[in-house]
Amino acid sequence: IGVEDGLSQNTVYDLLQDQRGFIWVATQNGLNRFDGSSFKVFQGESGAARGLTSDAIFSLSEDFDGKIWVGTLNGVNIYDPAMESFSSLELALPSGNPVSGIVRDMTLDREGKVLMVIADSCVFRAGPVPGEASLFYTAPKGSEIRSICTDPEGNLWLPCDL
């Protein structure tokens, strides 16, 4: 499956199969939803209040409510399938300073909260109500976090270069 089949771009960063069976494809040029026969492409719309904030999509996760969390070049968007729209997740440090940047990876914990690696240096934990986002971990100076996962016992793994 490629561009000739309706995929917006061939550089794929992440894949997700949701609760309804759709395959979501994160690419450099938009978010693609595959229903088994065709793609629907979601891309950022300049000035749109309910769209993606960037076409560069790096990571995907689905919460217990079936919402798709989309990690972009400029932060996190949440797709609500019932409304067919996106909302932006505002992230801030405890000091109140906003945080944005590439969302490299996301995973869901046992409590249904989404853990996100932001700008290669910090992990935020959010949900199920998006306004509950908070800083969870900051990498030591000079190191980068590129991935995040949980194991069956609920342990969190953050591979990073030190």
Side-chain angles (χ1 to χ4, degrees), residues 41-156:
V41 178
F42 300 90
Q43 293 177 311
E45 298 175 30
S46 185
R50 307 292 285 170
L52 287 168
T53 54
S54 173
D55 288 340
I57 313 298
F58 291 92
S59 56
L60 301 167
S61 189
E62 181 181 19
D63 66 22
F64 291 162
D65 294 329
K67 291 183 177 140
I68 306 298
W69 293 60
V70 183
T72 77
L73 180 65
N74 299 321
V76 179
N77 298 137
I78 303 166
Y79 177 74
D80 183 340
M83 301 299 293
E84 290 240 346
S85 66
F86 293 88
S87 58
S88 294
L89 180 64
E90 302 298 324
L91 300 172
L93 297 171
S95 64
N97 293 333
V99 174
S100 66
I102 295 174
V103 182
R104 292 279 182 199
D105 200 8
M106 293 189 281
T107 192
L108 199 63
D109 69 14
R110 290 196 292 190
E111 296 175 18
K113 296 196 177 196
V114 178
L115 295 153
M116 303 156 276
V117 175
I118 312 288
D120 299 332
S121 64
C122 55
V123 175
F124 276 80
R125 189 171 186 235
V129 177
E132 297 175 356
S134 61
L135 182 64
F136 183 77
Y137 176 79
T138 303
K141 262 198 190 310
S143 67
E144 291 183 350
I145 305 167
R146 296 289 180 130
S147 183
I148 187 170
C149 64
T150 55
D151 65 23
E153 287 79 40
N155 297 309
L156 179 64

Side-chain angles (χ1 to χ4, degrees), residues 8-9 11-13 26-30 55-58:
S8 65
Q9 214 267 343
T11 302
V12 174
Y13 293 111
T27 75
Q28 236 176 344
N29 191 29
D55 288 340
I57 313 298
F58 291 92

